Amino acid sequence: MAATRLELNLMRLLSRCEALAAERRDPEEWRLEKYVAALEDMLRELKKQSSKPAPELLNEYSRKVDFLKGLLEAEKLSSSMEKALANQFLAPGRTPTTAKERTPATKTVHLQTKARCTGQMRSELLGTVCSWKSLFFSLCTCRGLTSDEKQSAVELDAVLQHHQGMQEKLAEEMLSLARSLKNNTLAAQNVIKQDNQTLSHSLRMADQNFEKLKDESDRLEQHAKKSVDWLLWIMLIVVCFIFISMILFIRIFPKLK
């Protein structure tokens, strides 16, 4: 089926939104949010049309629009940790929007956004340690230190490096936890989806069996009615035959005196 004009406009606007999402935008940038709102309106209108695309294609359009909407909502969060966690739960598109794309643009945007949020979260976690470390060494260089103070400085540097390593490990564990949480959520969604499909199939089979049972009951009822009608006619014919035979018998053989 050829794409309608509304579907072509939706594909063009979707491709434009994916290109904008891949770029680094200013916090005051408003175009992408307006474009995504327009995409939602166009998608609702497309679902109402009689000549709408296949359900798989509509689901793919909805998936990409939901991804862009979730991306905008994640960017509005305050901390980078919340942004990274929100980006873990975003589901990009599975197929390219245009024929020029080798991989889906939303998947590329998703990878870029996850890398950016991870870098920001690490910078926030490690920024405090680095600032304290630089402040301490700047104070140490401003005045002379004795050997004991130098030893204390070295020990403090080791402690700061240890804490920095712990914070890096903590950041990696948090990212790993977010990934495992996302995988568990997706696995649960797949199980629920399969259960819903099995239940829908069972309901369809039950409806089909009920319709077949109803048809067979109607046929059996009609057959029973026909059998009763034939039996009634046969009995009437037999009774009439016996009645006529009795009359003939009485006429032919009169009563003996």
Side-chain angles (χ1 to χ4, degrees):
M1 182 185 294
T4 60
R5 185 174 182 180
L6 180 60
E7 185 179 358
L8 292 176
N9 292 335
L10 185 141
M11 291 173 61
R12 294 191 188 101
L13 186 58
L14 184 59
S15 177
R16 177 58 179 162
C17 290
E18 291 171 349
L20 283 175
E23 300 174 356
R24 286 186 174 272
R25 303 182 305 280
D26 296 331
E28 298 179 356
E29 177 64 39
W30 55 270
R31 290 181 298 172
L32 183 58
E33 188 171 357
K34 297 295 183 182
Y35 289 169
V36 172
L39 277 176
E40 290 180 326
D41 296 336
M42 295 171 68
L43 185 59
R44 281 194 294 268
E45 292 296 329
L46 186 62
K47 290 180 179 179
K48 294 179 182 178
Q49 285 188 346
S50 57
S51 58
K52 58 185 178 182
E56 295 81 7
L57 195 56
L58 279 176
N59 291 334
E60 184 67 17
Y61 289 152
S62 301
R63 187 183 182 92
K64 292 179 180 179
V65 173
D66 291 339
F67 170 78
L68 293 172
K69 186 178 178 181
L71 186 66
L72 290 174
E73 293 176 354
E75 290 178 353
K76 295 178 182 179
L77 297 175
S78 57
S79 66
S80 59
M81 189 178 302
E82 293 177 348
K83 293 180 181 179
L85 187 60
N87 275 282
Q88 288 290 334
F89 289 97
L90 294 179
R94 298 173 181 173
T95 57
T97 305
T98 60
K100 297 179 181 180
E101 299 176 4
R102 293 185 177 180
T103 58
T106 50
K107 186 175 292 186
T108 304
V109 173
H110 192 211
L111 294 175
Q112 292 176 352
T113 307
K114 284 201 298 186
R116 192 181 306 125
C117 293
T118 303
Q120 290 177 359
M121 188 172 65
R122 286 178 177 174
S123 300
E124 287 183 2
L125 289 173
L126 303 178
T128 306
V129 175
C130 294
S131 61
W132 280 102
K133 185 176 178 181
S134 59
L135 178 61
F136 175 77
F137 281 105
S138 63
L139 290 174
C140 291
T141 54
C142 290
R143 63 184 185 89
L145 296 176
T146 63
S147 59
D148 293 337
E149 290 176 340
K150 289 181 180 179
Q151 182 66 26
S152 300
V154 172
E155 292 177 355
L156 182 59
D157 184 28
V159 171
L160 290 175
Q161 288 181 356
H162 175 69
H163 283 290
Q164 183 176 354
M166 289 181 63
Q167 289 187 351
E168 289 180 354
K169 185 178 179 180
L170 179 61
E172 293 294 337
E173 289 179 354
M174 291 180 65
L175 290 176
S176 177
L177 181 62
R179 293 191 190 99
S180 63
L181 183 61
K182 177 187 176 183
N183 293 332
N184 292 335
T185 305
L186 292 177
Q189 289 178 354
N190 291 331
V191 171
I192 293 172
K193 185 178 180 181
Q194 291 177 0
D195 291 342
N196 289 333
Q197 290 178 353
T198 304
L199 182 60
S200 300
H201 180 69
S202 300
L203 290 175
R204 285 196 299 269
M205 293 297 295
D207 291 338
Q208 292 177 0
N209 293 334
F210 178 75
E211 293 295 331
K212 290 181 179 179
L213 182 61
K214 185 178 179 181
D215 294 338
E216 293 297 328
S217 299
D218 294 338
R219 290 176 57 187
L220 183 61
E221 185 178 357
Q222 292 176 1
H223 182 70
K225 288 181 179 179
K226 289 181 180 178
S227 300
V228 172
D229 292 341
W230 280 107
L231 183 60
L232 181 61
W233 281 108
I234 291 172
M235 290 177 66
L236 287 175
I237 293 173
V238 170
V239 170
C240 292
F241 177 76
I242 293 173
F243 180 74
I244 295 171
S245 300
M246 290 297 295
I247 293 175
L248 292 176
F249 182 78
I250 292 171
R251 293 285 185 180
I252 293 174
F253 301 97
K255 185 177 179 180
L256 296 176
K257 297 181 179 179

